Amino acid sequence: MSYEPPTPPANLPTEIVNTLNESEPERLRDVATYAEALADHKERETRLEESADQEEVEERPDDLPDDVPAKATITIKEINDNRYYYWQWRDEDKIRSQYKGPVNPDK
């Protein structure tokens, strides 16, 4: 019985398809993990850019530290199976973050 390899997406460049086809399974899993993380990062950057482009700036939240801009949004990061709130904003071409507190302060 013969198994056919998966068909790559039509919009994937040939050089990438060739490189992936020549890779070992462990390398392919590393590429998949990296690609997923990179996609998440780029989506987050796009959301931050879109929110920074909004002309209307909402009233400054009471718990917003002085060194965090009013355009900052709250994101959740998971570190060692614990979830934390962070203020996050764009500063020119960089994404900045500042710790806010735990999602579940009782833990």
Side-chain angles (χ1 to χ4, degrees), residues 60-70 87 89 98:
R60 189 173 179 85
D62 293 335
D63 61 343
L64 186 66
D66 290 337
D67 56 343
V68 173
W87 294 105
W89 67 96
Q98 182 171 322

Side-chain angles (χ1 to χ4, degrees), residues 48-93:
L48 285 171
E49 285 174 4
E50 289 171 355
S51 67
D53 290 344
Q54 293 175 350
E55 290 180 24
E56 235 179 88
V57 176
E58 295 180 12
E59 190 174 314
R60 189 173 179 85
D62 293 335
D63 61 343
L64 186 66
D66 290 337
D67 56 343
V68 173
K71 65 182 179 182
T73 59
I74 294 177
T75 60
I76 297 175
K77 294 184 182 183
E78 189 167 324
I79 302 169
N80 297 329
D81 295 325
N82 296 303
R83 294 168 45 138
Y84 301 95
Y85 288 118
Y86 281 81
W87 294 105
Q88 196 169 56
W89 67 96
R90 176 171 285 289
D91 183 10
E92 294 181 6
D93 62 340

Side-chain angles (χ1 to χ4, degrees), residues 3-22:
Y3 293 102
E4 294 295 319
T7 303
N11 61 349
L12 203 57
T14 303
E15 62 271 12
I16 292 176
V17 171
N18 291 342
T19 300
L20 293 174
N21 284 336
E22 295 168 2

